[in-house]
Amino acid sequence: MSKDLLLEIGLEEMPARFVTQSMKQLGEKVAAFLTELNIGFGDVYTYSTPRRLAVLVKNVSEAQEDINEEAKGPAKKIAQTEDGEWSKAAVGFAKGQGMTADDIYFKEIKGAEYAHVKKFVKGQETATLLSGLEQVVLSLTFGKNMRWGSSDIRYVRPIKWVVALFGQNVIPFSVASVEAVNQTAGHRFLGEATVIAEPEAYADTLKKQFVIADPAERRSMILAGLKELEQKNGWSVPVDESLLEEVNNLVEYPTALFGSFNEDFLVLPEEVLITSMKEHQRYFPVKSTDGVLLPHFITVRNGNDHAIEKVARGNEKVLRARLADADFFYKEDQKTPISDSLQKLEKIVYHEKIGTLSEKVSRIRRITARLAELTNETDEVKSLADRAAEICKFDLVTQMVYEFPELQGVMGEKYARQKGEREEVAKAINEHYMPRSADDSVPATKTGALVSIADKLDTITACFAVGIIPTGSQDPYALRRQAAGIVQTMLEQNWEVPLPEVISAAIGEVLVDKVGSKTAETLQEEILSFFSLRVKHILQENGIRHDIIDAVIAKAATLANIKETASVLMKHKEDADFKETMEALSRVVNISKKADSGQAVNPDLFENDYEVELYKGFEHLQSKWSQAASAEARYGLLASLKPSIEHYFDHTMVMAEDEALKKNRLAVMNNVARFILQFAEVTAILVK
């Protein structure tokens, strides 16, 4: 027999960003609770609104499963005395299992006999165990907690009610002095308290009280409302998934409505208008079918359509005030020269141990110049990048960015263009923040890429210099994301500069400003190790095998070369002769470690044709290597040596007794290994 189980936690309104994850967490923890107690159950359904988290578990067994188990005790020599009587250890073991010594039998395990008993454990009734759900409720974790009243409990928001039902019966327990009951709250304004007769009726009962407990159903209602307004008015409503998720977690009964704002505000940059609507008011912007922003918006009300026109007017009033502020800021900012903004950066502390924003900009400018030299940019690109680096942060002191921090870079680009800066410079101001997130694109221009990498490198290097290093989940300055952005940008720009040289350029400028007390060598080691993890992660996301990642990343090559080489090895790993090729190359690398690096090869000391064959293969490799422009071509050259290497080792003893022969043969190995290791650390590749 089985019954359904319902657990609902009623709360003050939760922040929208916590709702979905908390709902999933509750479902997982209840399922784990039942599993640990050996209670059978069926499907698990989770529900959430801003005021509640709930889980419905179908077909929960009314009792634990009975258990027939075998318990192992002491060895026979300990369990029995010399005259065959049961020892105290045996009697104690049996008693501890709820059995008697007469129930003991012996089983042989690895050549020795041990005492065992078989016992039957009758499953307890589920109803007597479910009060443990109290600990499940208390075990939920949230990004931010609070206390209330005299309770010591820390939770996302105060707990107002708890519904706990097993079938039609209330499960007796309490959380934060709130007793579990069968009564839940309806919509804060449209509904009322109502009794949940049985778990199966949960969602339908709440729906009668204007609460849509299923987030997927609410989401569908919101999308349907947007679609209806879109079709009715001939609009196009671009749906931002993150905004949709947030709005969905802000309402219990969604109703879409639209409002308008004065067309005069359309002179503001589109990004300002959209940010005002989406980020500050949670409105969906409206566009024409050809993509032009219109003076309308759509919002979602937490309620029905009663007096919806008044609601629309209220939302219009709020947006009007915010857009009026934005219009004022925009006009005031245009009156301020860029030079005045740059002077203001001198008074803003970026970090007390690192310096001001003006000092950071100075380093960005110097690092940009060094990177431009490393990448052999033209004089024009160097000039553009220098100007972009010089003014890349000027918009941080504008009134618009102060009010809308999300628009840093975006407003810098627009203001720079208005103030007569060259187009490439204006674009670079916005691009230097890219990629802003994991799914954002990297800078498209060389100028933007140079300044972007310089800015992020300065942040990472300065933070490491003063001991701000990510640990575990702690990364307050988002250094991991910035390092990943540098790697992605370098790959996209196909920079033929080794990562250590790029890092060294930043370290030099940071130490010139006397940031921190670490040496250049220490910083180089720490930062290169930090970047290696980011490179590994990016390669893993591209499906590269872990051992191949280790093989290509071990060499101080360019990032573009690392990625290309990894792709070539992944392509050839299924070749019929891949195993033999890697084994042959690895054998050369391993034995070359015994060579004297300064020893020259003397062909006159070759004793057999196989030595001659391998050396001719090496000379061919050496002559063609610089012409092999791709990793595929270099792999082909190395793979062509496989037969010669195999023949060589079949007929030649490298570690000969004659010292001259041994040194000469090791010199051959060293020369061949030098090219192999330029390609990859082949000994790290696992072959079967």
Side-chain angles (χ1 to χ4, degrees), residues 59 125 179 217 220 242 297 351 479 671:
N59 303 319
E125 291 187 5
E179 295 285 341
E217 185 176 351
S220 296
S242 61
F297 63 87
H351 187 281
L479 302 187
N671 280 321

Side-chain angles (χ1 to χ4, degrees), residues 4-6 45 47 56-59 165 167 196-205:
D4 294 341
L5 169 67
L6 173 69
Y45 300 93
Y47 302 91
L56 169 65
V57 186
K58 300 290 291 181
N59 303 319
L165 293 176
I196 306 295
E198 57 183 354
E200 179 68 23
Y202 176 71
D204 289 339
T205 301

